[in-house]
Amino acid sequence: MRVLVTQWPNPSHLYASIPMLWALQGAGHEVVVASHPDLAAATTRAGLTAVSLGTPDTVPGLTLENYGKYDLPQEHRDKFREPLGLTPEDYDVWEICSTYHQIGLHILHPPGGPSALADHLVDFALRWRPDLVIWEPEMAASPIAARLCGAAHARMVWGLDYSGWMEERFAARRAEVAAAGLTDPLLDAVEPIAAQYGVEVDDELLYGQWTIDPTPPAMRLPTRQRVVPHRRVPYTGIGTIPDWIYPKPQRPRVAVSLGASVREHAAGNDLIGTLLEMLGGLDVEVVATLNAAQLEGYTVPGNVRTVDFLPLNQLLPTCSALIHHGGGGTFTSAVAHQVPQLVVPNTGGVEAPFYARRITDSGAGIILDADNLDVDELRKQLMRVIEGPSFAEGARRLHADWLAMPSPNDVVPSIEKLTAQHR
């Protein structure tokens, strides 16, 4: 069958999807990835076919200016709490929904329209005629394109299902939201495009016919969606293995990774100096994936090797611990290689509270509070994770839970059957 995959143009989102798309391609299906032209190079580097929807001049990109254009003030986001019936336990999820997800939706699908990306996507779908459209929640025009060309369609989330969680709350309390003079950001994005193409907005258009979800069951947000669960196999980019990686060093090796998205927006850079000072006073070998901009103004200790980029799947098998920002891709890489983790949540990872909670609940690591602890205490925390056998055992438990989920190859037959049912 022909599978059209629509991706929000952030490489880290694409990386979460690649093993599943390889599995579909390996089963003999024709797979193309459609997105903003900015994502084409990362797509083809992974051995997948890219389709550019428009040009950088006609379709907005993920620039800081465009992020700022649709960012709602905190006081406005807080106005939704009472109409949506949110409890304090919901606030972390709502913060992501009302910032990251809302901005992502509206950059490419402006409220009130028009959406150049939607027009390019519909045009390609009608010409290429896919059997199945797999779409990321921020690519909200995708189910409209699927319906117009008669394809089945499924959402594929890259982490926790924030969009499904959010939309179910809006659906249950639309009267309260309207009475407060507020609107649903997903409907703001979808309704103008649906009206333009004469498509009725219903639950399938908002939620997909099913959802392909890589989230570990213990972390999954409560929704009523039909879910095809699968194991998130880490893809961390391509590269050549440096000759210094092996053999594994005699003293503990610690990896430091603050994530591609954090690097792009220079979030958490003020903590890098603290981390370097902490690591420099220990008898460990450190490999930090930090670039020149992140290191500017700091002195790099002699036991710290900095590299602009190195795939974590190459580095982590030689490591005793990983310090990171709390992103889903980095978390999964550590789980796959059974490495204890230290999360520094204030470095800018939007999902850090959720992954940090999973790490600490399983005993596979700790939260490293680099804002409020002195350097000596931070060193003690790191060495406790490296030397304490309980953290290695926690990492093994997380790994076992991860292996218990079906692999991408395992779920391809389910996707084939669902496609046949919904076409």
Side-chain angles (χ1 to χ4, degrees), residues 3 49 93 111 169 216 219 261 268 290 307 343 373 400 408:
V3 183
T49 301
V93 183
R169 275 147 187 77
M219 291 182 62
S261 297
L290 301 172
V307 291
V343 176
L373 296 177

Side-chain angles (χ1 to χ4, degrees), residues 138-185:
E138 287 76 20
M139 299 290 283
S142 307
I144 296 171
R147 187 168 293 180
L148 290 171
C149 68
H153 64 93
R155 292 186 315 142
M156 183 157 64
V157 293
W158 47 271
L160 281 69
D161 189 1
Y162 306 107
S163 61
W165 180 94
M166 179 185 78
E167 194 52 38
E168 287 188 3
R169 275 147 187 77
F170 274 101
R173 300 177 69 95
R174 296 213 184 278
E176 292 86 345
V177 171
L182 302 168
T183 61
D184 176 349

Side-chain angles (χ1 to χ4, degrees), residues 147 194 198-202 205:
R147 187 168 293 180
V199 172
E200 180 184 356
V201 176
D202 55 21
L205 219 64

Side-chain angles (χ1 to χ4, degrees), residues 121-410:
L121 176 58
V122 168
D123 178 66
F124 177 76
L126 290 173
R127 288 186 287 113
W128 196 64
R129 294 284 172 179
D131 302 291
L132 170 65
V133 176
I134 296 176
W135 51 284
E136 193 171 354
E138 287 76 20
M139 299 290 283
S142 307
I144 296 171
R147 187 168 293 180
L148 290 171
C149 68
H153 64 93
R155 292 186 315 142
M156 183 157 64
V157 293
W158 47 271
L160 281 69
D161 189 1
Y162 306 107
S163 61
W165 180 94
M166 179 185 78
E167 194 52 38
E168 287 188 3
R169 275 147 187 77
F170 274 101
R173 300 177 69 95
R174 296 213 184 278
E176 292 86 345
V177 171
L182 302 168
T183 61
D184 176 349
L186 181 56
L187 288 181
D188 289 345
V190 170
E191 285 182 333
I193 304 168
Q196 176 184 345
Y197 287 101
V199 172
E200 180 184 356
V201 176
D202 55 21
D203 283 351
E204 278 193 1
L205 219 64
L206 301 177
Y207 304 116
Q209 293 166 327
W210 71 92
T211 298
I212 303 169
D213 192 335
T215 309
M219 291 182 62
R220 200 170 294 152
L221 295 174
T223 72
R224 298 188 303 275
Q225 305 311 304
R226 181 175 189 175
V227 170
V228 175
H230 71 94
R231 185 189 318 149
R232 181 172 175 175
V233 177
Y235 172 86
T236 57
I238 58 175
T240 302
I241 296 178
D243 58 8
W244 52 262
I245 282 190
Y246 293 102
K248 189 174 180 178
Q250 292 293 317
R251 58 179 177 169
R253 176 178 281 167
V254 178
V256 178
S257 174
L258 300 185
S261 297
V262 172
R263 171 186 290 191
E264 182 180 348
H265 300 299
N269 278 10
D270 52 338
L271 289 174
I272 290 174
T274 301
L275 293 177
L276 291 174
E277 183 182 359
M278 171 192 78
L279 294 163
L282 295 170
D283 186 24
V284 297
E285 177 187 308
V286 181
V287 181
T289 56
L290 301 172
N291 65 13
Q294 291 173 298
L295 293 168
E296 186 176 357
Y298 299 120
T299 299
V300 178
N303 66 329
V304 177
R305 182 193 298 268
T306 62
V307 291
D308 186 74
F309 171 77
L310 182 65
L312 285 178
N313 282 345
Q314 295 179 9
L315 175 61
L316 288 181
T318 71
C319 292
S320 300
L322 168 65
I323 299 172
H324 68 98
H325 63 301
T330 312
F331 163 84
T332 305
S333 297
V335 171
H337 295 288
Q338 303 182 58
V339 178
Q341 306 177 51
L342 299 96
V343 176
V344 189
N346 28 14
T347 49
V350 294
E351 296 184 288
F354 307 100
Y355 289 105
R357 194 174 304 133
R358 178 66 177 140
I359 291 164
T360 55
D361 287 350
S362 65
I366 63 172
I367 298 171
L368 198 64
D369 188 359
D371 268 341
N372 298 308
L373 296 177
D374 63 31
V375 168
D376 286 340
E377 184 59 33
L378 292 172
R379 288 172 180 158
K380 290 177 185 177
Q381 297 278 16
L382 173 58
M383 295 311 298
R384 183 166 68 94
V385 171
I386 292 174
E387 296 172 349
S390 66
F391 295 103
E393 179 57 34
R396 285 191 287 271
R397 284 194 296 270
L398 267 187
H399 181 75
D401 291 345
W402 177 74
L403 285 178
M405 296 183 69
S407 74
N409 288 337
D410 293 334

